[in-house]
Amino acid sequence: MKRFIVLALICVVGFSFASCKKNEFAGFKYDQFTASEDPGSFLAVQVLDKNGKQACWFHMLDQVGQDNSSYTNSTEKVGKYPASISPNNHVWILVNNRFEIRLVADSETEVFKNTEMLKKFLMSFDLAGLEAIQGDKVSPKVMAKYIPQLGQ
């Protein structure tokens, strides 16, 4: 019985911490979401802040078979991913030597004019899922499955 009570207490405390985790992107939403089914095109998305103003935008491109040497030689990283960073302006990363995500802060809104905030947003993509994709180019509609969930 004592083990059961201790186990129950651990579960309650653990769930409490998990549910208290703050979603930094709650209140944000996507606008002008362009996701075609053509594997040669890219995904373009605008992100609106809590007031409905554009906060940032991003493109996702499947660069399989392209020259990605600019990332290969990069000394900058976001997590384990090679990056191109313009401080407080944009952060671009390359996932699996294939998927390029270009995240750009809007010049009129302050919230994403912060390199660390841009990096956090990029790390909220399902990057592990993107790493697992193999084979031919995928469509923007497929790439859209790996973007962050907002407004929760």
Side-chain angles (χ1 to χ4, degrees), residues 29-80:
K29 64 181 181 178
Y30 293 124
D31 187 41
Q32 297 187 10
F33 193 95
T34 307
S36 84
E37 294 189 28
D38 176 19
S41 61
F42 60 90
L43 175 66
V45 181
Q46 290 181 335
V47 179
L48 303 181
D49 69 10
K50 298 167 188 170
N51 300 315
K53 294 176 113 180
Q54 181 172 301
C56 66
W57 56 269
F58 64 86
H59 289 163
M60 284 181 71
L61 304 94
D62 186 347
Q63 303 283 44
V64 69
Q66 301 294 319
D67 177 16
N68 294 315
S69 60
S70 62
Y71 286 101
T72 306
N73 301 323
S74 175
T75 58
E76 299 177 301
K77 295 207 179 286
V78 173
K80 65 181 184 178

Side-chain angles (χ1 to χ4, degrees), residues 120-150:
K120 284 181 188 177
F121 190 78
L122 283 169
M123 294 304 292
S124 67
F125 281 71
D126 179 4
L127 301 174
L130 285 172
E131 282 188 62
I133 296 175
Q134 301 294 319
D136 296 332
K137 279 191 178 195
V138 298
S139 72
K141 196 169 187 176
V142 170
M143 289 185 275
K145 296 175 185 175
Y146 300 92
I147 66 175
Q149 298 299 309
L150 300 181

Side-chain angles (χ1 to χ4, degrees), residues 5-20:
I5 293 172
V6 170
L7 182 60
L9 183 60
I10 290 171
C11 288
V12 168
V13 170
F15 287 129
S16 296
F17 281 116
S19 64
C20 290

